[in-house]
Amino acid sequence: MVYNFFKNLTSEATLRGISSVLHKQRLFCTAAQASQILATNEKHITSFRTAESNPLKHNFDHAYRFYTIPVEVKNQLFQHGGLPKYFNEQAKAFMETCVMVRDPALEILHYLKTADYSRPAIRYVIYGESGCGKSITLAHILHYGLTAGFLLIHVPWVPNWMRVCKEVSNSATREGYVDLNLDAAEWLIHFKNQNAALLNNIDLRVSKEYAWSKREKTEEGVPLLELVEHGINRVKYASECVVALVKEIKLHSTQGRCKTLVVIDGFNAFFHPRTRVVTAEKIQVPPSKITLTEAFIEITKYDWCNGAVILTVDKTGVADDRRESFLPIYQLGKEGFEHLDPFVPISVREYSEKELESCLDYYVDRRWLQNEKSFTEEGRKELKYLCGMNPRRLMHVCAPL
Amino acid sequence: MAPLNMVFGSVLRKNIIFNNAEVLYKRVNLVNAYSMYGPQFVEPVYKKDKQESMYESGEIENILHVPVKAARVDATCSVFHDELVRKFTNLVMRDGRKILARELIEEAFEKIKRIQLQRYHSTEDPEKKTSVLTDPLKIFHAALANSKPVLQLTPIKRGGVTYQVPVPITDKRSQFLAMKWIILAAKDKDPKVHFPEKLAWELVDAAGNQGKVVKKKQDLHRQCEANRAYAHYRWS
């Protein structure tokens, strides 16, 4: 294990080292391709928009431009959450879901394309100031995962479980543990929605028998979807199903039957001792005593391969005593950091000059910026100054104009 | 106005006839008692383009070497600043909570944009499409223009009977009434509906020359028309 660990670490270091060289090479080799695409879609020749909606082909030619997520993909990926609420509203007003191709996403996509999947799963931790686009970056990567044929394990927003869980009950099988039945079932539905098409193609079967109660059990060798269905239909066992499902996927992945992409938003919520999950005896439950936590702690370990783990740490995801910094080491705490170490930190920063211009152009194109003054150089300068290059703040500053 | 004119005639030794208060305030720098500024102070010009145009027209010479009052806190040189919106914000404001008032109006503007964008995208005909206004500021101005009354009823007592007499009103008064009516109409709502949302709908309706506020204006005009026989009580 230690050997693997070091090997993992060195491969990361080299990856980071050579990535910049590769970027430059890519710039030259795909220029012709990009111009072809642009020529074929004359409608889309704009500086802020790219017609390339396949994230497999995204590279630095498409940087700082918006690409459209097709409606059916959006329905498959984000029907049960995954995009921020306000972003969804914007998508509705704009009549399309567009995501800017940005550096952190491209960096991760590049790593995902070039990583050696026979090695232990690499953990990527996305961090950044709130409103800078961590969740949108995740959405982009998720789209990549779907098109590249990864099995997706996606948690839209972990703090939802820790803050506004729908139902709390004591675990029947584990002493002192707590089940969030409805949330677990909801997650299973989300999982099924994202992966049903893929799971029908590749034949994954349950590796051992699970006995839920005296009468109910899942036989060895039934399709994995049946396990999911069981959790959805028998909500009482949903949490256990999630744990079992995750362990099964890990096993299949390690044996090379599928590629798995784990995407978890707000991962640091698993490591903050305070939650709003309260038992019937009015006792606050720490995340470590929630069954769901175990599943996602299990899948973020590095003792499996043929997969990648992409997490975000978000200071809005935890209670307000841990909001001084957005850096992973502070947000994860000692326990979380030791669990994830070693990982590749990916920083999502504020907009650059180019990105801001492209975003403003996009808003003008979608008729979101209407004030005559916002078309002038002076108006744009003022917007830039007001938002401080923060994407979310820019969105809010532009809202009444 | 007549006695005032006489007073000014005697005090200032000038025979100026003022027929309304505004002209009077302009000609004679009337100062509030206990004002921190003397009569020589002029109002600040805080808009960049206004300053530039004043430099171009040479108007600036008049105030270049005159002491200027400090600008108010809500006077900003932002290009997005609009005098009418500022006024409207102050009327929406309660208990001095200006930040809240501004947020409410901004939210209403955003909502207007959403409503109109949906309309814009749902209309198929390209000619009609261009006629859909999506600029919230323009909609606000149009709504205000459509809600402004030109006449008002004033109770005047003649021969022991109080008559509702139609009188013309100043632009400022009619602007105030329009703003007040819009706000009242927006506050008349179901408790579950938020103020900005209702305000947005009222503004959109008024901009299209329909809705509660425009109806109120038309009712008032109708009443004035009906009471035109009493109009002479204004002066006799």
Side-chain angles (χ1 to χ4, degrees):
Chain A
M1 196 54 77
V2 176
Y3 170 69
N4 273 345
F5 164 85
F6 278 110
K7 231 174 180 186
N8 194 6
L9 200 69
T10 45
S11 72
E12 277 158 18
T14 33
L15 262 181
R16 287 187 82 80
I18 58 168
S19 61
S20 58
V21 183
L22 275 175
H23 293 168
K24 273 179 194 158
Q25 284 179 346
R26 278 167 168 268
L27 251 176
F28 293 117
C29 70
T30 46
Q33 206 183 344
S35 62
Q36 269 174 5
I37 295 162
L38 289 179
T40 47
N41 292 295
E42 280 197 336
K43 213 174 85 187
H44 290 291
I45 300 187
T46 37
S47 56
F48 60 88
R49 194 192 276 275
T50 165
E52 185 58 75
S53 66
N54 183 0
L56 283 176
K57 291 179 189 160
H58 281 163
N59 55 41
F60 280 81
D61 295 326
H62 307 107
Y64 320 132
R65 295 190 188 176
F66 284 85
Y67 88 96
T68 319
I69 298 180
V71 183
E72 63 274 8
V73 172
K74 193 193 170 192
N75 285 344
Q76 191 184 345
L77 286 178
F78 307 116
Q79 203 168 37
H80 303 276
L83 292 174
K85 197 175 153 200
Y86 197 82
F87 184 86
N88 253 338
E89 271 178 48
Q90 294 295 82
K92 213 169 132 194
F94 296 165
M95 309 288 286
E96 62 181 11
T97 313
C98 274
V99 168
M100 193 195 277
V101 182
R102 292 184 67 194
D103 284 340
L106 284 175
E107 190 181 346
I108 293 179
L109 292 195
H110 175 63
Y111 293 160
L112 286 180
K113 281 173 198 164
T114 47
D116 180 2
Y117 285 99
S118 60
R119 298 277 168 82
I122 304 174
R123 279 85 57 88
Y124 304 92
V125 175
I126 300 176
Y127 67 96
E129 196 55 81
S130 52
C132 279
K134 296 184 290 296
S135 300
I136 306 294
T137 305
L138 273 195
H140 189 175
I141 292 160
L142 213 56
H143 188 189
Y144 166 82
L146 184 79
T147 31
F150 279 93
L151 189 70
L152 302 174
I153 296 186
H154 173 222
V155 183
W157 187 229
V158 177
N160 277 350
W161 295 340
M162 305 303 165
R163 282 177 184 161
V164 282
C165 60
K166 298 199 177 77
E167 191 194 330
V168 182
S169 65
N170 287 328
S171 174
T173 47
R174 292 159 208 252
E175 193 63 34
Y177 274 74
V178 151
D179 283 350
L180 310 177
N181 292 336
L182 290 178
D183 294 281
E186 206 172 284
W187 186 80
L188 284 174
I189 294 173
H190 181 60
F191 174 82
K192 194 183 147 195
N193 198 31
Q194 287 188 332
N195 297 305
L198 185 81
L199 283 178
N200 286 334
N201 283 343
I202 52 170
D203 189 35
L204 297 184
R205 293 187 175 273
V206 179
S207 65
K208 65 171 187 182
E209 185 183 291
Y210 291 94
W212 308 109
S213 65
K214 272 181 189 169
R215 274 173 235 104
E216 286 170 291
K217 59 180 176 185
T218 304
E219 298 281 345
E220 186 186 335
V222 298
L224 211 54
L225 267 180
E226 216 153 286
L227 187 68
V228 178
E229 284 292 345
H230 184 264
I232 296 168
N233 295 331
R234 294 286 292 133
V235 176
K236 197 181 163 194
Y237 305 117
S239 293
E240 291 298 330
C241 268
V242 173
V243 178
L245 177 72
V246 163
K247 281 184 180 162
E248 287 292 329
I249 290 173
K250 213 168 143 181
L251 200 69
H252 285 303
S253 226
T254 317
Q255 287 165 0
R257 290 196 202 107
C258 62
K259 284 194 294 177
T260 310
L261 189 68
V262 181
V263 178
I264 301 176
D265 202 353
F267 187 71
N268 51 336
F270 283 132
F271 295 104
H272 192 277
R274 257 165 60 201
T275 63
R276 287 188 206 152
V277 180
V278 181
T279 56
E281 294 85 46
K282 306 277 177 227
I283 298 165
Q284 201 185 51
V285 186
S288 54
K289 287 290 171 194
I290 296 170
T291 324
L292 276 176
T293 310
E294 188 178 308
F296 296 103
I297 294 288
E298 189 65 35
I299 197 76
T300 47
K301 285 179 184 166
Y302 58 81
D303 55 354
W304 59 293
C305 60
N306 244 332
V309 180
I310 295 150
L311 315 163
T312 65
V313 292
D314 199 323
K315 66 177 176 182
T316 54
V318 289
D320 49 10
D321 60 346
R322 207 189 263 182
R323 294 209 175 157
E324 276 159 36
S325 162
F326 57 80
L327 296 171
I329 192 162
Y330 175 75
Q331 283 301 329
L332 289 165
K334 188 166 179 283
E335 193 193 344
F337 188 78
E338 279 171 3
H339 169 67
L340 281 186
D341 197 41
F343 59 81
V344 186
I346 308 274
S347 145
V348 179
R349 289 176 204 284
E350 276 93 4
Y351 274 159
S352 67
E353 202 82 21
K354 248 183 182 172
E355 285 170 326
L356 188 98
E357 288 296 314
S358 138
C359 186
L360 285 177
D361 282 340
Y362 178 67
Y363 281 164
V364 171
D365 174 67
R366 294 284 97 200
R367 301 175 75 88
W368 189 245
L369 273 178
Q370 282 288 315
N371 197 309
E372 281 163 6
K373 292 283 166 45
S374 58
F375 307 142
T376 60
E377 196 53 46
E378 215 172 331
R380 287 171 87 102
K381 240 159 98 185
E382 190 175 321
L383 285 175
K384 179 184 150 193
Y385 170 73
L386 283 176
C387 73
M389 307 302 256
N390 183 306
R392 187 196 287 157
R393 227 174 294 147
L394 177 70
M395 196 159 74
H396 285 300
V397 164
C398 291
L401 297 175
Chain B
M1 239 49 231
L4 246 180
N5 282 334
M6 277 168 63
V7 169
F8 277 104
S10 61
V11 172
L12 302 171
R13 319 222 164 208
K14 273 184 193 168
N15 280 329
I16 319 163
I17 290 170
F18 305 110
N19 41 21
N20 70 39
E22 257 177 61
V23 179
L24 184 142
Y25 288 138
K26 270 183 193 161
R27 293 301 288 270
V28 187
N29 267 339
L30 274 187
V31 181
N32 275 341
Y34 296 104
S35 166
M36 65 189 287
Y37 298 112
Q40 72 276 25
F41 280 81
V42 294
E43 292 291 338
V45 180
Y46 55 88
K47 288 233 169 184
K48 256 186 193 167
D49 46 352
K50 179 98 190 285
Q51 279 179 12
E52 275 162 21
S53 73
M54 281 175 93
Y55 270 108
E56 271 170 26
S57 66
E59 212 179 319
I60 199 83
E61 292 298 321
N62 300 335
I63 60 165
L64 214 48
H65 305 293
V66 175
V68 180
K69 288 182 191 175
R72 289 175 177 273
V73 279
D74 53 6
T76 154
C77 63
S78 161
V79 288
F80 302 113
H81 180 258
D82 186 79
E83 191 54 35
L84 275 178
V85 176
R86 185 196 68 80
K87 190 76 204 165
F88 192 68
T89 314
N90 285 354
L91 288 190
V92 169
M93 177 170 71
R94 289 283 171 270
D95 306 332
R97 287 173 293 175
K98 185 169 281 194
I99 293 171
L100 175 65
R102 210 170 55 206
E103 275 170 10
L104 291 176
I105 285 171
E106 281 174 0
E107 213 173 302
F109 275 18
E110 185 187 340
K111 181 78 190 157
I112 288 176
K113 220 153 64 171
R114 285 190 197 285
I115 294 167
Q116 293 300 91
L117 272 180
Q118 203 179 14
R119 264 185 208 168
Y120 175 83
H121 288 303
S122 61
T123 43
E124 308 259 305
D125 190 13
E127 269 178 39
K128 274 186 190 165
K129 216 169 187 173
T130 47
S131 70
V132 179
L133 261 185
T134 40
D135 184 355
L137 197 64
K138 274 184 191 155
I139 287 178
F140 173 76
H141 283 266
L144 218 55
N146 287 343
S147 332
K148 271 160 95 172
V150 289
L151 289 167
Q152 200 189 359
L153 291 170
T154 318
I156 294 179
K157 205 168 176 181
R158 291 279 180 272
V161 183
T162 313
Y163 297 99
Q164 295 293 329
V165 180
V167 293
I169 51 177
T170 59
D171 189 50
K172 212 173 167 187
R173 169 86 183 145
S174 87
Q175 179 192 304
F176 167 73
L177 281 177
M179 285 184 178
K180 186 179 151 193
W181 288 346
I182 290 172
I183 292 168
L184 281 181
K187 281 187 176 172
D188 178 22
K189 62 178 174 60
D190 194 84
K192 278 179 189 164
V193 181
H194 291 186
F195 174 75
E197 191 174 351
K198 188 74 195 303
L199 181 62
W201 280 108
E202 287 300 334
L203 286 173
V204 168
D205 281 350
N209 225 343
Q210 51 195 356
K212 231 189 223 170
V213 182
V214 173
K215 192 169 172 293
K216 189 161 185 163
K217 180 194 84 173
Q218 285 164 347
D219 282 349
L220 179 67
H221 284 174
R222 210 168 296 129
Q223 199 80 48
C224 292
E225 187 74 27
N227 288 6
R228 65 188 297 181
Y230 305 141
H232 65 281
Y233 285 132
R234 197 155 70 86
W235 59 84
S236 66

